[in-house]
Amino acid sequence: ERQKELQEQNFDEKAEQLLKEEDVTTASKGITVKEDLQNLPIDPQGAVQVLFFFNPNSDETTNALKELIKAQQALKADSRIKITGLTSEPMSLVQLELAKRTLNLEFSLKNGGSLMQQLKVTSVPTIVFVTETTKKTFRLSGIQKSDDVVKIVKLMQGGN
């Protein structure tokens, strides 16, 4: 358990370091707005981190998670893509592990409160896409279709 606490602390430190000089691009109303997609940051190495902020106690979470799990299945073959679930409400390590098993998540699940504040995420569910090399972000609020999440990741990797 102590090792998990250290990993959690290490994650927070990495996230804080990653976001110190972040450049934020926010979608107006989902990715249907063409100009938002034209402003997507592209990672030269194709490394994209998908941060999914959600309230584990919300009914809306189930639908949002189903879509993200579908996207994760479509993207899991690419090791340059990392997906992390981040709770808006604090949970113990045991609660996090239980939620991960209950929800059948194949990606890591962590407390996201401090990162939410740093990224100024004000509503959940919200997905923040981060280019790992250039540290630029793009965010979408609300439930997103899995195809749209996959499309954004591919575009941020430099694809079509």
Side-chain angles (χ1 to χ4, degrees):
E1 187 155 321
R2 177 71 181 134
Q3 186 176 3
K4 280 194 174 196
E5 286 175 25
L6 289 172
Q7 286 174 336
E8 185 79 21
Q9 183 181 356
N10 189 25
F11 175 79
D12 285 341
E13 288 169 7
K14 280 183 184 173
E16 195 170 317
Q17 180 183 9
L18 173 76
L19 299 166
K20 274 189 179 156
E21 296 178 20
E22 64 136 0
D23 178 12
V24 179
T25 302
T26 305
S28 308
K29 289 271 184 193
I31 68 162
T32 51
V33 183
K34 244 184 187 171
E35 62 201 43
D36 290 334
L37 284 182
Q38 291 170 350
N39 293 325
L40 273 179
I42 295 173
D43 190 281
Q45 307 295 317
V48 178
Q49 196 170 49
V50 179
L51 305 175
F52 174 64
F53 293 93
F54 69 101
N55 179 345
N57 303 315
S58 163
D59 293 337
E60 199 176 21
T61 292
T62 307
N63 293 329
L65 269 174
K66 281 180 187 173
E67 291 297 322
L68 189 66
I69 289 168
K70 279 191 230 170
Q72 191 266 335
Q73 292 298 319
L75 297 167
K76 72 179 182 180
D78 191 335
S79 63
R80 299 171 301 169
I81 300 165
K82 292 180 180 51
I83 299 177
T84 304
L86 296 152
T87 64
S88 59
E89 304 296 319
M91 297 174 77
S92 70
L93 293 173
V94 172
Q95 288 172 314
L96 286 169
E97 190 58 38
L98 183 61
K100 184 176 174 179
R101 285 186 193 154
T102 304
L103 298 167
N104 265 340
L105 302 180
E106 292 183 25
F107 48 85
S108 59
L109 186 59
K110 301 180 182 306
N111 285 310
S114 62
L115 196 51
M116 277 184 76
Q117 290 175 340
Q118 290 171 13
L119 285 171
K120 297 177 178 69
V121 172
T122 56
S123 64
V124 289
T126 292
I127 300 176
V128 179
F129 302 85
V130 183
T131 56
E132 288 201 29
T133 309
T134 57
K135 314 296 188 250
K136 295 186 181 214
T137 67
F138 180 79
R139 75 181 70 204
L140 293 172
S141 295
I143 297 173
Q144 304 303 319
K145 297 280 181 212
S146 60
D147 292 346
D148 292 342
V149 172
V150 171
K151 180 179 181 180
I152 288 174
V153 169
K154 296 287 186 194
L155 287 169
M156 289 178 72
Q157 287 185 303
N160 299 325

